[in-house]
Amino acid sequence: MAKYSRSAGKDVKRAMHRRKKGSLKRGKGGKGGTVKSKKQAIAIGLSEARKKGKKVPKRKSAKRKSAKRKSAKRKSRI
């Protein structure tokens, strides 16, 4: 079974093309600067696909990172 729908792949492809053309912007409403990174362009394409309701896996949660931070804080107190 495929993780991503074919149309989600097309959204990513479209975002990569917009990045290459220089019209892909970052931030809320595209008010930020132009996107330089390929990884960021892929992430934007996937989030656009999610908003349209296409088959894309959920984002990985940041639970793991926060647990590491808490343990680091505990160690620094000692």
Side-chain angles (χ1 to χ4, degrees):
M1 189 95 194
K3 285 186 178 183
Y4 298 87
S5 66
R6 189 172 288 167
S7 57
K10 286 181 182 177
D11 281 352
V12 172
K13 191 176 180 181
R14 203 173 297 119
M16 292 293 283
H17 188 263
R18 287 193 345 240
R19 175 197 149 262
K20 199 167 185 182
K21 204 167 79 172
S23 62
L24 186 63
K25 308 283 184 189
R26 67 177 138 225
K28 282 267 189 191
K31 291 176 183 174
T34 56
V35 173
K36 302 277 192 259
S37 161
K38 287 179 184 179
K39 278 186 178 181
Q40 197 173 16
I42 292 167
I44 290 169
L46 288 174
S47 68
E48 286 172 357
R50 273 189 199 96
K51 285 175 189 172
K52 290 177 186 174
K54 295 178 180 174
K55 187 183 173 193
V56 181
K58 290 181 181 178
R59 287 182 178 163
K60 292 181 182 177
S61 63
K63 287 178 187 174
R64 210 176 195 177
K65 240 182 191 177
S66 62
K68 282 184 181 179
R69 284 185 191 149
K70 284 178 186 175
S71 66
K73 275 187 179 180
R74 283 186 206 128
K75 287 179 183 176
S76 66
R77 286 181 186 169
I78 298 171

